[in-house]
Amino acid sequence: MARMYVPAHFKPDDASVVALLGSGRAANLITATSQGLMATMLPLVWDGPDARPGLGPWGALLGHVARNNGQWKTPPIGEAMVILAGPDAYISPAWYATKREHGRVVPTWNYITVHAYGRLVVHDDPTWVESNVRRLSEHHEAPRPEPWSVDDAPPPYIEGQLRAIVGVEIVIDRVEGKWKLSQNRSDADIAGAIEGLEATGERDVSAAMRDLGRTE
């Protein structure tokens, strides 16, 4: 059984994990097969545990792949794995207060990630695939002042596009999350890292560090 190394101080709460699962970010779907490891990066939407009967406490992730992609045709050995990545950034030791105190510091990388494991289900069904495409589009178009809709394209064109893709679903059995955001550093070092990140434009990571500080 695959495991991610997660020290206790980098373990997120369940609400943070759910937020990343439902973010609609692209993720890597990885399966071990008789032909070796296969991987596809694809956008996913999340069904929560109460979305429909039969889902566990972590729900399911839904997406689609090209029909010509051999991963959906190749049975996985054991569980499938999805790697969802949040923001990440390089952390310079020059930003730490302790660098000025004793110099015993080294670079590191801050990041947010979730590994979701479960059963891969294939949906070679135009109705299912169209529903998935609409959900993905609506999720990402909603913030725009004039959102694009699937209905904006000619129906014959959309029908052709749908025939070229196949639905995939990962029914999640377990998740492992890691929020590595300098929790093992002093408050002064964290403040210095946040300042350094913001000076270099890495505001997604600095915002996550600030949010973490407010919740602890």
Side-chain angles (χ1 to χ4, degrees):
M1 181 180 290
R3 291 288 183 189
M4 176 168 55
Y5 172 58
V6 186
H9 45 270
F10 295 149
K11 183 176 175 59
D13 58 28
D14 288 354
S16 297
V17 172
V18 165
L20 187 53
L21 289 172
S23 66
R25 299 175 74 101
N28 283 292
L29 168 64
I30 302 168
T31 51
T33 76
S34 60
Q35 300 179 31
L37 291 174
M38 293 187 170
T40 302
M41 191 170 189
L42 70 164
L44 297 164
V45 293
W46 181 64
D47 274 354
D50 299 325
R52 50 196 159 88
L55 296 181
W58 293 106
L61 290 163
L62 295 72
H64 60 267
V65 298
R67 183 169 293 278
N68 290 336
N69 185 331
Q71 189 171 14
W72 74 270
K73 305 174 188 177
T74 310
I77 299 171
E79 60 191 1
M81 175 185 186
V82 175
I83 300 179
L84 297 103
D88 67 278
Y90 172 77
I91 305 296
S92 171
W95 298 336
Y96 292 153
T98 47
K99 188 264 185 185
R100 296 182 289 277
E101 295 171 8
H102 51 63
R104 296 190 298 275
V105 290
V106 293
T108 191
W109 207 274
N110 277 5
Y111 57 87
I112 288 173
T113 189
V114 164
H115 294 183
Y117 306 87
R119 177 170 51 93
L120 179 64
V121 181
V122 173
H123 296 276
D124 193 2
D125 171 4
T127 301
W128 192 100
V129 173
E130 180 178 354
S131 175
N132 177 250
V133 168
R134 287 181 178 275
R135 284 184 64 186
L136 279 167
S137 299
E138 290 165 3
H139 178 90
H140 293 287
E141 289 285 337
R144 301 184 63 248
E146 296 182 10
W148 178 87
S149 167
V150 170
D151 295 323
D152 292 342
Y157 173 77
I158 293 298
E159 290 169 8
Q161 294 294 299
L162 292 175
R163 286 194 295 270
I165 57 179
V166 176
V168 291
E169 176 181 8
I170 301 86
V171 181
I172 304 171
D173 293 324
R174 60 190 177 94
V175 297
E176 296 174 328
K178 189 172 183 179
W179 267 233
K180 183 179 176 295
L181 297 171
S182 299
Q183 299 97 313
N184 57 332
R185 305 301 308 186
S186 67
D187 289 346
D189 282 355
I190 292 172
I194 289 173
E195 182 179 350
L197 286 166
E198 293 180 346
T200 56
E202 297 284 1
R203 295 185 176 275
D204 288 345
V205 176
S206 66
M209 293 172 69
R210 290 185 185 277
D211 287 344
L212 190 67
R214 285 196 289 268
T215 59
E216 290 186 338

